[in-house]
């Protein structure tokens, strides 16, 4: 089957008004009391035939015809206006299988494997080599857009006083490593070949961990990205008035991804019966860094991909969700785990 161009993909259709309203009723039925539900049902019966609703439906269909995807603008506008902090309120995470590191070299090798896989994945995206995806319906297979994969390594969410904004950078050929609340820029060009560069990358990660313990020790500025968006926007504006800060923020905003090398979770509980660790403890750490006293300060939630690894093997990915769907990130994670097995 030949790959379809993005321009050849069918536009999302606008559901009929009765379908939309019936879905609304189905959605509220589980939590709206019976009398209130009946009231809503009667109102909706009136809406289905009202002249005003038919007119609005007509406007929506006209808008859909003149835009590539009529849903995107409405959804994105409301998402970027939400001032709530990204962790917990917005950013999804994926908890990956816990690793057992018997020595530091194994931890560094695992981190290096993620970095090399990500760089190779980006090369495939840039060359258009990702296998096209299809949604299987009852009638036929429908091609899906692959456009959001291009956002994985280029997208960044800038906080705003009224609403946030996106920037998409093609220029960054480096990634950021966060360790002991310090941020380090690492050039990516040398680490695409998985077999010749792993040892060099491990050496670089060891060097970063050693440097992160030395003075001067800078404040954990990454924690600012976990603030209310309006508050973070105000602080950012003050920060970038300083030229050094402005350049540092620019570097972070244009990186490919962020790798967080965390300390062990000291109070990681284990079930005595199953002898497996509690998912809750691991999930909390991946999602928000286990509070400011632990690792929240070495996060940067505005970047699309953050890969987190603790010294005792808890690991996962946090994403900034406004530029891609979760299913694409799930594919990325599945391919990473396959890559780990192979290497």
């Amino acid at each position: 089957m030949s790959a379809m161009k993005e321009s050849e993909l069918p536009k999302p259709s606008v559901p009929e008004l009765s379908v939309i309203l019936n879905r609304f009723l189905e959605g509220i039925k589980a939590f709206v009391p019976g009398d209130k539900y009946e009231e809503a049902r009667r109102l909706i019966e009136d809406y289905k035939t009202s002249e005003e609703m038919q007119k609005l439906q007509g406007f929506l269909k006209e808008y859909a015809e003149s835009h590539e995807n009529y849903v995107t603008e409405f959804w994105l506008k409301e998402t970027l206006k939400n001032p709530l902090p990204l962790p917990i309120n917005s950013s999804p995470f994926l908890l990956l299988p816990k690793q057992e590191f018997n020595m530091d070299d194994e931890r560094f090798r695992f981190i290096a494997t993620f970095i090399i896989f990500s760089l190779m994945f980006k090369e495939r995206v840039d060359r258009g080599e990702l296998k096209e995806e299809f949604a299987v319906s009852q009638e036929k297979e429908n091609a899906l857009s692959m456009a959001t994969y291009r956002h994985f390594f280029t997208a960044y969410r800038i906080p705003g006083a009224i609403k946030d904004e996106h920037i998409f950078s093609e220029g960054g050929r480096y990634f950021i490593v966060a360790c002991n609340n310090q941020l380090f820029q690492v050039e990516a060009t040398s680490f695409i070949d998985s077999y010749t560069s792993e040892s060099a990358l491990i050496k670089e990660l060891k060097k970063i961990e050693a440097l992160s313990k030395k003075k001067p020790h800078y404040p954990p500025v990454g924690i600012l990205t976990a603030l209310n968006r309006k508050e973070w926007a105000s602080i950012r504006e003050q920060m970038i008035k300083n030229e050094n800060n402005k350049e540092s923020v620019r570097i972070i905003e244009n990186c490919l991804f962020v790798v967080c090398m965390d300390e062990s979770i000291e109070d990681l509980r284990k079930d005595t019966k199953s002898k497996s660790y509690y998912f809750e403890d691991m999930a909390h750490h991946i999602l928000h860094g286990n509070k400011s006293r632990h690792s929240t300060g070495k996060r940067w939630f505005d970047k699309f991909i953050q890969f987190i690894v603790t010294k005792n093997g808890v690991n996962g990915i946090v994403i900034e969700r406004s530029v891609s769907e979760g299913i694409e990130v799930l594919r990325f994670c599945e391919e990473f785990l396959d890559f780990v097995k192979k290497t």
Side-chain angles (χ1 to χ4, degrees):
M1 185 178 294
S2 59
M4 294 182 69
K5 297 178 181 178
E6 292 292 328
S7 59
E8 296 174 345
L9 293 174
K11 294 180 180 181
S13 59
V14 178
E16 292 303 318
L17 184 58
S18 60
V19 173
I20 296 172
L21 295 174
N22 287 337
R23 284 179 180 174
F24 172 76
L25 282 176
E26 290 173 10
I28 67 172
K29 192 172 185 179
F31 59 88
V32 173
D35 56 336
K36 294 293 184 183
Y37 178 81
E38 282 302 314
E39 183 182 349
R41 189 185 62 77
R42 287 194 298 270
L43 287 171
I44 280 177
E45 288 302 319
D46 294 337
Y47 285 151
K48 284 181 181 179
T49 55
S50 74
E51 184 178 340
E52 184 180 9
M53 290 298 288
Q54 296 295 334
K55 188 176 181 180
L56 290 173
Q57 179 76 347
F59 286 148
L60 182 59
K61 288 184 176 181
E62 288 178 14
Y63 180 89
E65 279 299 313
S66 60
H67 289 73
E68 186 177 323
N69 188 330
Y70 76 96
V71 180
T72 301
E73 186 176 335
F74 296 120
W75 181 86
L76 196 56
K77 182 179 179 181
E78 293 306 311
T79 298
L80 295 180
K81 283 172 63 178
N82 187 349
L84 294 175
L86 297 184
I88 301 177
N89 295 293
S90 178
S91 296
F93 74 99
L94 290 98
L95 179 65
L96 301 181
K98 186 180 181 300
Q99 304 295 305
E100 296 296 334
F101 302 133
N102 296 313
M103 57 184 69
D104 269 351
D105 274 11
E106 293 180 1
R107 173 170 59 96
F108 290 126
R109 182 169 291 110
F110 181 70
I111 298 170
T113 301
F114 174 82
I115 293 169
I116 292 166
F117 166 79
S118 298
L119 297 176
M120 294 172 70
F121 193 92
K122 184 183 186 304
E123 291 291 311
R124 290 165 59 202
V125 171
D126 292 346
R127 293 195 294 260
E129 293 177 357
L130 286 185
K131 185 178 179 182
E132 192 170 21
E133 296 174 342
F134 294 86
V136 180
S137 65
Q138 293 180 347
E139 300 174 358
K140 60 179 181 178
E141 287 189 336
N142 296 312
L144 296 174
S145 171
M146 303 291 285
T148 55
Y149 283 106
R150 295 195 289 272
H151 298 161
F152 274 33
F153 306 101
T154 62
Y156 186 89
R157 179 169 174 168
I158 298 179
I162 298 175
K163 74 179 184 71
D164 291 358
E165 296 180 8
H166 286 139
I167 59 170
F168 298 93
S169 171
E170 297 292 345
R173 293 298 301 167
Y174 57 87
F175 54 91
I176 299 295
V177 176
C179 186
N180 290 313
N181 295 325
Q182 309 301 288
L183 304 175
F184 298 84
Q185 177 185 355
V186 182
E187 293 298 324
T189 311
S190 306
F191 304 121
I192 295 177
D193 185 339
S194 60
Y195 299 105
T196 61
S197 64
E198 183 184 85
S199 58
L201 188 47
I202 290 172
K203 185 178 179 180
E204 187 75 14
L205 294 171
K206 286 182 176 180
K207 179 182 176 183
I208 285 172
E209 188 166 83
L211 287 172
S212 71
K213 298 174 183 177
K214 294 183 177 181
K215 294 183 179 180
H217 216 255
Y218 300 103
V221 292
I223 201 169
L224 297 173
T225 64
L227 292 173
N228 176 286
R229 302 305 291 172
K230 296 182 187 298
E231 187 178 359
W232 168 215
S234 176
I235 294 172
R236 180 182 176 278
E237 283 301 309
Q238 293 298 316
M239 284 175 59
I240 61 177
K241 288 179 181 178
N242 176 284
E243 286 301 318
N244 286 336
N245 290 342
K246 185 176 182 180
E247 177 61 12
S248 296
V249 170
R250 185 197 66 79
I251 289 171
I252 297 170
E253 289 176 350
N254 288 279
C255 74
L256 295 172
F257 50 84
V258 176
V259 173
C260 305
M261 300 200 300
D262 290 359
E263 295 299 312
S264 294
I265 307 175
E266 295 176 0
D267 54 352
L268 186 60
R269 298 171 297 161
K270 204 170 187 179
D271 189 299
T272 53
K273 292 182 179 179
S274 65
K275 297 190 176 179
S276 61
Y277 292 98
Y278 283 102
F279 287 124
E280 181 184 357
D281 293 345
M282 296 188 286
H284 273 296
H285 186 87
I286 297 302
L287 178 57
H288 55 69
N290 203 11
K291 303 178 183 178
S292 57
R293 61 182 169 79
H294 201 288
S295 297
T296 310
K298 68 181 72 164
R299 299 287 186 268
W300 205 273
F301 291 102
D302 295 351
K303 188 59 191 171
F304 181 72
I305 292 180
Q306 291 186 96
F307 180 63
I308 296 109
V309 181
T310 70
K311 288 185 176 180
N312 56 343
V314 177
N315 69 102
I317 290 174
V318 176
I319 65 167
E320 196 294 290
R321 71 182 183 100
S322 62
V323 293
S324 185
E325 297 292 334
I327 192 68
E328 283 93 340
V329 182
L330 185 61
R331 173 180 175 175
F332 175 82
C333 290
E334 288 176 340
E335 291 196 14
F336 166 61
L337 294 177
D338 288 340
F339 185 74
V340 171
K341 290 178 182 177
K342 292 175 183 176
T343 56

